[in-house]
Amino acid sequence: MHRVYLDNNATTPVLPEVFEAMRPYFSERFGNASSIHHHGQETRAAVENARESVAKLLGCSAAEIVFTSGGTEADNLAIAGIVAAGDHVITSSVEHHAVLHAVRHGEEIGCEVTVLPVDGRGLVDPADVKRALRPTTKLISIMMANNETGVLQPVDQIGEIAAAAGVSFHTDAVQAAGKVSIDVKRTGCHLLSISGHKLHAPQGVGALYVKKGTQLHPLFHGGRHERSRRAGTENVPGIVGLGKAAQVAKAALDRGDDRTMSAMRDRLQQGILAQVDEAAVNGDGAPRVPNTANIRFDHIEGESLVIALDLKGLAVSTGAACSSGAIEPSHVLLAMGMRPDQARASIRFSLGKQTTDAEIDFALSLVPETVARLRELSPTYKKHAGMTTYKLEAKS
Ligand code: PLP
């Protein structure tokens, strides 16, 4: 079956050049990067090269990069590494569970937590961050880009507020890295998380930027790897893959490939909205990463649409990958003020570097008719019958 993958916010395919860069480190270049002999020196050099490439993507120095097992570990290290009992933490209601649950754990050990609301577009108001500050505030953790809607938070402004208050600022940039240009100095963050598998490197590798001078308690206790910030033998092939993917992403951003991607995403979005009534883009009006369109199709269950599209060869998602399959409506969309039925009627389309114009055409040929078919079965849509015109005839 012809299959099209538009679920790149869940995970991305490893690029061929990334795979080729990794390949020798599974076999002939197998050394432990801590060994002092030739084999170790070879892998140490590869790890340090990758560190340079990741640092270039983020605008920091290589010594400020700590490799981790992924975005979840980077988020946990940023939070648990900074806060202790009695500290106050500020976060937002639309964070990924890797942040929300890590902060909730902080509460269990005696931290106080403020979870800020967002507006209807999914944006945190920097003035709310400022108002939430307390003398005990130790950390602000607000994401750069949301995984479900792609909405970009005003992190540069939040960074200024954090700096003025002398508070550490962490941003989860897992869904931003490689999609928009990142400069940790412009953002003024002390900590920033990324994950390999969201930017065409493999799953199970990530990194945390830790600003020079930031005191971080390690999560793991063991050897003195990663300058004593993350114990454990390095995942050399994964790190090499992340380094190569960071290089590819940086070159693409420098070329302006993000504009090509947003044009493709906009064509998909507009094409769907032109053919389907009672559909809306979640996060419309807010700045967004170029690859994501989260669209609400009233009167249907998103899960049913995901399954129906999958049967025809199109892979999309109802939101966070980890909540796919669960019936709970998205906490992100609820936080944006949506009713549970509206949140459940929403679908995320997310493009990757491999996405082609022909694949967008395929999605455009499939989505409107599938939504129309599901709506024919929908009791709430039936009440509407006669009042609503579906513009299927607009499809060429
Ligand atoms: N943060 C965000 C915004 C994410 O989208 C994800 C993954 O979906 C994570 C953190 C977790 O990253 P990982 O899958 O590498 O643990």
Side-chain angles (χ1 to χ4, degrees):
M1 183 197 266
H2 176 59
R3 289 204 178 268
V4 169
Y5 183 77
L6 292 183
D7 196 16
N8 290 272
N9 286 10
T11 198
T12 53
V14 172
L15 290 174
E17 58 268 48
V18 170
F19 183 66
E20 283 314 314
M22 292 170 66
R23 189 198 291 272
Y25 295 91
F26 289 109
S27 50
E28 67 264 33
R29 296 188 202 160
F30 58 83
N32 182 323
S34 300
S35 299
I36 55 175
H37 47 59
H38 162 81
H39 303 278
Q41 288 173 25
E42 199 171 51
T43 46
R44 170 57 53 203
V47 166
E48 297 315 317
N49 265 338
R51 204 185 302 280
E52 287 285 346
S53 303
V54 173
K56 280 201 182 105
L57 182 69
L58 306 181
C60 62
S61 72
E64 294 173 310
I65 296 297
V66 178
F67 288 116
T68 66
S69 64
T72 300
E73 187 191 328
D75 286 343
N76 276 266
L77 179 56
I79 293 162
I82 295 289
V83 300
D87 291 337
H88 174 234
V89 185
I90 299 172
T91 190
S92 85
S93 50
V94 295
E95 300 297 312
H96 190 272
H97 285 136
V99 165
L100 280 178
H101 292 174
V103 166
R104 288 288 169 223
H105 175 72
E107 230 171 12
E108 284 164 23
I109 59 153
C111 295
E112 291 189 310
V113 177
T114 300
V115 180
L116 297 176
V118 292
D119 67 14
R121 297 165 300 169
L123 288 170
V124 171
D125 183 348
D128 283 344
V129 177
K130 202 168 179 176
R131 269 193 292 273
L133 287 167
R134 299 180 193 171
T136 52
T137 307
K138 192 73 183 287
L139 180 72
I140 299 169
S141 182
I142 305 280
M143 71 199 323
M144 193 171 275
N146 186 268
N147 43 301
E148 298 192 30
T149 58
V151 166
L152 287 158
Q153 296 296 346
V155 284
D156 296 1
Q157 278 170 270
I158 295 169
E160 280 173 24
I161 292 166
V167 169
S168 293
F169 176 34
H170 165 243
T171 187
D172 175 343
V174 164
Q175 294 289 350
K179 297 173 187 166
V180 291
S181 73
I182 294 180
D183 178 351
V184 291
K185 295 195 181 66
R186 185 186 64 220
T187 299
C189 54
H190 302 80
L191 301 139
L192 177 146
S193 311
I194 69 167
S195 170
H197 74 109
K198 312 293 183 173
L199 71 150
H200 299 277
Q203 299 165 355
V205 65
L208 181 67
Y209 154 75
V210 183
K211 187 181 177 180
K212 190 167 179 253
T214 306
Q215 290 303 316
L216 195 72
H217 305 291
L219 280 182
F220 305 153
H221 303 283
R224 297 172 68 181
H225 309 87
E226 299 295 294
R227 295 171 182 240
S228 298
R229 293 169 297 187
R230 201 278 185 180
T233 300
E234 290 90 344
N235 165 10
V236 177
I239 289 170
V240 167
L242 178 56
K244 183 67 187 178
Q247 263 178 28
V248 173
K250 173 93 176 68
L253 285 166
D254 290 349
R255 278 196 309 268
D257 287 9
D258 48 323
R259 288 195 290 274
T260 318
M261 180 158 307
S262 68
M264 245 190 221
R265 186 271 314 272
D266 291 348
R267 188 164 78 82
L268 173 68
Q269 198 176 279
Q270 283 153 14
I272 289 174
L273 295 183
Q275 296 182 64
V276 186
D277 277 349
E278 296 189 76
V281 174
N282 297 322
D284 206 12
R288 282 183 291 147
V289 286
N291 80 317
T292 309
N294 190 307
I295 304 185
R296 197 181 89 210
F297 299 98
D298 288 343
H299 310 292
I300 60 155
E301 283 289 337
E303 294 286 333
S304 312
L305 181 55
V306 169
I307 294 164
L309 292 173
D310 188 46
L311 289 172
K312 302 266 184 183
L314 178 64
V316 295
S317 154
T318 47
C322 47
S323 69
S324 264
I327 314 157
E328 287 296 301
S330 145
H331 71 283
V332 173
L333 301 181
L334 293 182
M336 289 164 68
M338 255 167 250
R339 295 191 312 262
D341 63 300
Q342 294 174 316
R344 281 202 195 90
S346 297
I347 293 293
R348 178 184 71 189
F349 301 85
S350 50
L351 284 57
K353 284 190 186 301
Q354 76 290 356
T355 306
T356 62
D357 276 319
E359 292 182 339
I360 299 296
D361 290 338
F362 179 70
L364 284 173
S365 72
L366 217 56
V367 175
E369 69 174 31
T370 313
V371 171
R373 194 156 48 76
L374 290 175
R375 278 177 172 171
E376 289 303 329
L377 307 170
S378 153
T380 60
Y381 166 74
K382 279 198 177 140
K383 274 194 225 144
H384 255 64
M387 289 165 57
T388 315
T389 315
Y390 290 95
K391 302 181 208 159
L392 272 176
E393 67 279 8
K395 187 164 74 82
S396 60

